[in-house]
Amino acid sequence: MAAKKSSALLRVLCLCSVLALALPARPANVTIGALFTFDSVIGRSARAAVDLAVDDVNRDADVLNGTHLTVFAQDTKCSGFVGTIQALQLMEKEVVAVVGPQSSGIAHVVSHVVNELHVPLISFAATDPALASGQYPYFVRAIRGDDSSQMAAVADIVTYYGWREVSVIYVDNDYGRGGVDALGDALEAKRGKVSFKAPIPPDADAATVVDLLVQVSMMESRVCVVHVSPDSGLAVFGAARSLDMMASGYVWIATEWLAAALDSMRPADPRTMSFIQGVVTLRQYTPDSGAKRSLTSRFATGQRNRSAAVNAYGLSAYDAVWMAARAIDAFLDDGGNVTFSADPRLQQEAKGSSTLRLDSLRVFDQGEPLLQKVMLANFTGVTGDVRFSAASRSLVDPAYEVLNVGGTGVRRVGYWSNHSRLSVAAPTPSSRKNGSIEQRLYSVVWPGETTSPPRGWVFPNNGRLLRIGVPYRTTYKQFVSKDSSPDGASGYCIDVFKAAVALLPYPVPFSFILFGDGVKNPSYGDLVSKVADNYFDAAVGDVSIVTNRTRVVDFTQPYVESGLVILSPVKERSSNAWAFLKPFTLGMWAVTGAFFLFVGAVIWVLEHRFNPEFRGSPRKQIVTIFWFSFSTMFFAHRENTVSSLGRFVLLIWLFVVLIINSSYTASLTSILTVQQLSTGIQGLDGLLASADPIGYQVGSFAKSYMMQELNVPESRLRELNIDQYASSLKLGPHNGGVAAIVDELPYVDLFLSTNCQFKTVGQEFTKSGWGFVSIQKQTLIFSPLHQSIALLCC
């Protein structure tokens, strides 16, 4: 038995020895690279974070057990060219991954290098959305989201306060341009826009910045979004303060660069803080945790004699090193081996160039498997849960703190996440499940130390008047049309507009521009399109508010109630001396007379035996029957009834006489006073059921409404000027005219005031109104007119 046990144990030991020989031994050392600008706000924080992360990895027995992690850091010096050279030098050291770079521009260039050499590039600060494209398969973003997420947060803030336009001040490089494009897309989805772009060259001096800000100050929008680098961005606010652009009325929103710059100042510089008061900025949200507090404390201790402090980018750089270490550990656990081989293409190029030493660059043979391990990361770091989105190759669940600069620091006024959007509650896993909630932020202290949200716009200082389109009507000029006054237009609509503008607390410089040829009324749909296409800034006139127009332009509150009605011709009934006979037909008259005689005879039969008033000579009794019968028509009979049955019959008969009298009176009144419709159309249902032609006013939306909403064939519709209404209705549908006209109530009322032979039939079948039209940009100016118009209407 003992021999058998010894034999089994020997076989197990042999098997383990074979497996140990089959699996490759873990390397004693693995090298990664780091690329960033050492002397920069992001770089100073990242450098210390990377060093701390490498030390922590090498002390942790659960990660890279038996393998030492080494990092080589190269200084890109904020230069794409230098960054490329430094990246190539890193590749010569046969690194298996690179942490960085911090610049989006350098990331674009270096991504081509790592693509060729199959080295994963884990960036902690490059936020250009274009880097997520399939062109850069080895680029991975160790931060939550990119500038598309950040600009979605900015757009939500802009929309939350009711602003529609922003001016963007940005650095003119890949990072800046990518952010501006993302902001434009985010605002467009919310019916906003970037109205002015002020690109700052990367090497711009103070005078260039001032010149650009002067242009910004001449624009209409007072909402300024600043998307620059943390190293040069504060100079923008210094220049803005010198131009008095940090005063009340302005809104300044800075992207996360400002929070990084402020977090890196230790202690806060009072002079710097003085010229960014009231600014709203974003900061990557990292939930509070023991690991985060410990790292922050260690970071501060290690940086005691330096001017930098940890910021959100430093935290991301720390986690980026751990991502690389855990990926390498998982790769080695799966039996992976670190090997490099020559790139045939580089070898061929190196033959013709001995100075570039391209043959020293070698391909990481296991780059693709290691990249997959990086993408499978799933651990809790100092920035929270570390998991990647396969689509964007960024960390999932982007979230930001919304901060307000005030005093000597910042105050958190809310959060933004891609699930809950703006909220005063910190993002949590439950908020991801619940989705969007009510948008809310705490009170913000704006520039000028005011808590009231600024209006966000002023009239531009470029001297341009608002171009307001006015329909050049040729009929019913009482509403609006051309005249010889200095304004060039007059009418009820113009008067309402001027009165509403006069109630505003600020001047509105404008000029009226006539739209139309003066031969016939213009198309109001074309006028609205001109406003939507920015040919006109606004339109004032009898413009109806209809659904398809509200999709492309904005309207003020209606100042006139309107709706479509049906206009139809009528004819009067002819009256003569015998008109009193027309309520009843001949047969009805005969039956009525017969019943009178019949009832009189019945009453005589029932009464003459008991009632002396029904007795006498035969002649007298016949006269009594006729007199009693016809006197009941007017309830003037004198004879009394004494029998119960006679009284019952008389009661019923008097009730019948009452009905006959009422019907006769109503019919006779109608014949003598009411007109009769000549077409027989009683309302909308009758109009749709017929096949007769229908008229509508030139330029009116009635045509499109009848065709699209009521399914009326275009062949039945006739375009008419208002001065053709009377003649077309008189001709009728069978003589080249129309059976009815569909038009808006104000025009019909004015038409009927001078044409009594027509009338409206049926009910008003649409409910709308007339409003002033504006493009979305000018809605900022026209929106206060709502209250002014409401006051006028009251």
Side-chain angles (χ1 to χ4, degrees):
M1 181 64 103
K4 289 183 179 180
K5 290 183 178 179
S6 300
S7 176
L9 179 61
L10 182 60
R11 285 197 296 270
V12 170
L13 291 175
C14 293
L15 180 61
C16 292
S17 300
V18 171
L19 290 175
L21 292 174
L23 292 175
R26 278 178 172 261
N29 185 78
V30 175
T31 304
I32 64 173
L35 275 176
F36 46 84
T37 300
F38 292 171
D39 188 19
S40 66
V41 169
I42 297 176
R44 287 189 289 271
S45 181
R47 187 171 189 180
V50 169
D51 291 341
L52 289 173
V54 171
D55 292 343
D56 291 345
V57 168
N58 287 326
R59 280 198 300 266
D60 193 331
D62 295 331
V63 180
L64 293 178
N65 186 24
T67 300
H68 186 269
L69 182 67
T70 303
V71 60
F72 287 112
Q74 299 289 119
D75 188 1
T76 60
K77 300 185 182 299
C78 288
S79 167
F81 176 75
V82 174
T84 305
I85 299 301
Q86 297 299 326
L88 293 174
Q89 291 180 357
L90 273 181
M91 298 301 112
E92 288 181 347
K93 295 180 174 63
E94 295 188 346
V95 296
V96 298
V98 176
V99 175
Q102 71 188 60
S103 164
S104 295
I106 296 176
H108 278 281
V109 178
V110 175
S111 290
H112 292 288
V113 176
V114 298
N115 285 353
E116 183 68 25
L117 301 179
H118 300 177
V119 177
L121 185 65
I122 309 173
S123 176
F124 55 85
T127 55
D128 182 7
L131 289 166
S133 72
Q135 184 181 4
Y136 309 111
Y138 281 86
F139 177 84
V140 177
R141 216 183 313 257
I143 53 177
R144 302 188 185 280
D146 52 26
D147 279 342
S148 61
S149 301
Q150 183 175 200
M151 292 309 177
V154 172
D156 280 346
I157 294 173
V158 171
T159 304
Y160 177 78
Y161 289 105
W163 303 315
R164 292 287 185 86
E165 283 188 38
V166 301
S167 296
V168 184
I169 303 157
Y170 64 99
V171 60
D172 194 9
N173 57 19
D174 292 326
Y175 158 74
R177 290 188 294 270
V180 171
D181 290 343
L183 178 59
D185 293 341
L187 286 174
E188 184 177 353
K190 298 180 178 295
R191 300 189 69 183
K193 65 180 294 187
V194 174
S195 60
F196 183 73
K197 299 178 182 179
I200 300 176
D203 56 350
D205 54 18
T208 302
V209 175
V210 169
D211 290 342
L212 284 171
L213 290 180
V214 168
Q215 297 180 45
V216 173
S217 68
M218 297 178 65
M219 296 298 108
E220 177 184 303
S221 174
R222 283 293 183 263
V223 181
C224 303
V225 177
V226 185
H227 186 56
V228 292
S229 69
D231 298 288
S232 59
L234 292 173
V236 174
F237 289 109
R241 187 184 184 190
S242 68
L243 296 173
D244 199 28
M245 295 176 66
M246 299 301 297
S248 178
Y250 278 90
V251 176
W252 290 89
I253 302 174
T255 51
E256 57 185 339
W257 68 267
L258 179 57
L262 295 179
D263 290 341
S264 298
M265 287 193 301
R266 210 180 53 150
D269 180 13
R271 179 177 177 275
T272 299
M273 299 301 296
S274 67
F275 55 70
I276 57 174
Q277 296 294 300
V279 176
V280 173
T281 185
L282 300 175
R283 176 168 61 197
Q284 290 182 51
Y285 170 67
T286 54
D288 191 26
S289 64
K292 178 182 174 181
R293 290 192 296 270
S294 174
L295 178 63
T296 303
S297 175
R298 292 168 55 205
F299 195 100
T301 302
Q303 298 291 308
R304 183 176 292 112
N305 298 322
R306 300 186 185 182
S307 59
V310 68
N311 54 41
Y313 295 111
L315 298 177
S316 296
Y318 181 88
D319 276 352
V321 174
W322 274 95
M323 290 178 202
R326 289 177 180 274
I328 294 170
D329 185 53
F331 167 74
L332 295 177
D333 282 345
D334 288 347
N337 192 18
V338 178
T339 60
F340 293 84
S341 60
D343 188 332
R345 288 185 294 183
L346 293 179
Q347 293 290 328
Q348 185 176 0
E349 292 294 331
K351 293 179 180 179
S353 175
S354 59
T355 57
L356 291 180
R357 298 171 53 195
L358 295 178
D359 55 344
S360 63
L361 302 177
R362 298 166 64 80
V363 177
F364 178 30
D365 297 328
Q366 292 78 32
E368 178 67 23
L370 181 59
L371 176 64
Q372 296 301 320
K373 295 299 183 183
V374 172
M375 294 297 299
L376 293 175
N378 188 2
F379 66 95
T380 301
V382 295
T383 61
D385 292 337
V386 176
R387 289 180 294 111
F388 280 100
S389 165
S392 62
R393 297 196 301 280
S394 300
L395 296 183
V396 297
D397 301 328
Y400 298 91
E401 297 176 82
V402 183
L403 308 176
N404 181 209
V405 180
T408 58
V410 296
R411 179 174 63 94
R412 184 169 55 235
V413 296
Y415 301 88
W416 182 94
S417 73
N418 62 334
H419 297 286
S420 60
R421 316 306 284 188
L422 293 176
S423 172
V424 294
T428 61
S430 61
S431 67
R432 301 186 194 114
K433 297 178 182 178
N434 295 336
S436 297
I437 59 177
E438 180 183 1
Q439 302 296 279
R440 185 187 170 199
L441 292 175
Y442 289 123
S443 176
V444 172
V445 179
W446 304 99
E449 298 184 355
T450 176
T451 56
S452 299
R455 190 171 61 194
W457 61 269
V458 295
F459 286 99
N461 297 324
N462 53 19
R464 189 178 77 85
L465 302 178
L466 292 178
R467 292 167 49 87
I468 298 181
V470 175
Y472 189 174
R473 289 192 63 88
T474 58
T475 56
Y476 287 173
K477 300 181 181 181
Q478 298 95 319
F479 292 117
V480 60
S481 193
K482 176 183 179 181
D483 74 350
S484 57
S485 66
D487 290 330
S490 64
Y492 173 76
C493 301
I494 300 297
D495 294 341
V496 172
F497 175 74
K498 290 181 178 179
V501 169
L503 295 176
L504 298 178
Y506 46 84
V508 179
F510 59 84
S511 63
F512 291 131
I513 301 173
L514 294 172
F515 177 74
D517 56 11
V519 177
K520 65 178 183 178
N521 292 336
S523 168
Y524 284 73
D526 292 344
L527 174 60
V528 170
S529 297
K530 288 289 186 181
V531 177
D533 294 339
N534 292 323
Y535 182 81
F536 292 128
D537 296 315
V540 171
D542 48 339
V543 184
S544 297
I545 304 173
V546 294
T547 303
N548 61 335
R549 294 175 182 174
T550 59
R551 296 190 182 105
V552 294
V553 295
D554 288 320
F555 283 88
T556 62
Q557 177 176 323
Y559 62 91
V560 170
E561 290 186 358
S562 179
L564 293 178
V565 294
I566 300 173
L567 181 66
S568 179
V570 295
K571 64 181 181 181
E572 295 184 356
R573 292 179 183 268
S574 59
S575 60
N576 51 48
W578 298 99
F580 71 92
L581 296 175
K582 291 185 177 180
F584 292 162
T585 63
L586 180 60
M588 182 63 180
W589 280 116
V591 171
T592 302
F595 265 99
F596 273 100
L597 294 175
F598 175 73
V599 170
V602 171
I603 295 297
W604 177 83
V605 170
L606 296 174
E607 292 289 328
H608 80 280
R609 289 178 297 173
F610 311 103
N611 193 340
E613 294 183 3
F614 287 88
R615 294 177 183 176
S617 64
R619 179 175 178 274
K620 180 183 177 183
Q621 292 186 48
I622 293 174
V623 171
T624 300
I625 292 174
F626 276 93
W627 166 253
F628 183 85
S629 299
F630 288 101
S631 63
T632 56
M633 180 184 300
F634 309 102
F635 306 98
H637 51 284
R638 295 177 303 175
E639 294 77 13
N640 295 320
T641 54
V642 295
S643 67
S644 299
L645 192 56
R647 289 177 179 178
F648 177 74
V649 171
L650 181 61
L651 179 63
I652 295 175
W653 174 244
L654 290 178
F655 180 72
V656 173
V657 169
L658 176 64
I659 296 174
I660 294 173
N661 282 342
S662 300
S663 300
Y664 177 84
T665 303
S667 298
L668 182 60
T669 302
S670 176
I671 290 171
L672 296 177
T673 60
V674 178
Q675 297 170 322
Q676 182 181 22
L677 297 174
S678 62
T679 61
I681 295 175
Q682 301 292 333
L684 180 60
D685 292 338
L687 181 64
L688 298 178
S690 71
D692 295 333
I694 306 170
Y696 66 92
Q697 186 184 170
V698 174
S700 172
F701 76 95
K703 177 182 179 181
S704 60
Y705 181 85
M706 286 188 286
M707 292 177 59
Q708 297 173 10
E709 302 296 332
L710 303 179
N711 297 319
V712 177
E714 187 175 6
S715 59
R716 289 185 59 191
L717 302 180
R718 304 288 186 271
E719 186 179 70
L720 303 172
N721 285 318
I722 292 183
D723 54 12
Q724 297 175 311
Y725 279 12
S727 59
S728 296
L729 288 171
K730 288 179 180 178
L731 286 173
H734 305 297
N735 297 310
V738 294
I741 292 174
V742 175
D743 204 352
E744 296 178 73
L745 184 59
Y747 303 121
V748 173
D749 285 344
L750 194 56
F751 174 79
L752 292 178
S753 65
T754 57
N755 295 271
C756 299
Q757 67 273 36
F758 309 100
K759 65 173 292 185
T760 60
V761 296
Q763 300 295 322
E764 186 177 348
F765 57 91
T766 64
K767 290 291 184 182
S768 60
W770 291 352
F772 303 137
V773 188
S774 68
I775 54 177
Q776 294 168 6
K777 177 177 81 171
Q778 299 302 343
T779 299
L780 299 174
I781 299 174
F782 276 68
S783 57
L785 284 179
H786 287 279
Q787 185 175 1
S788 299
I789 293 172
L791 292 174
L792 290 174
C793 293
C794 292

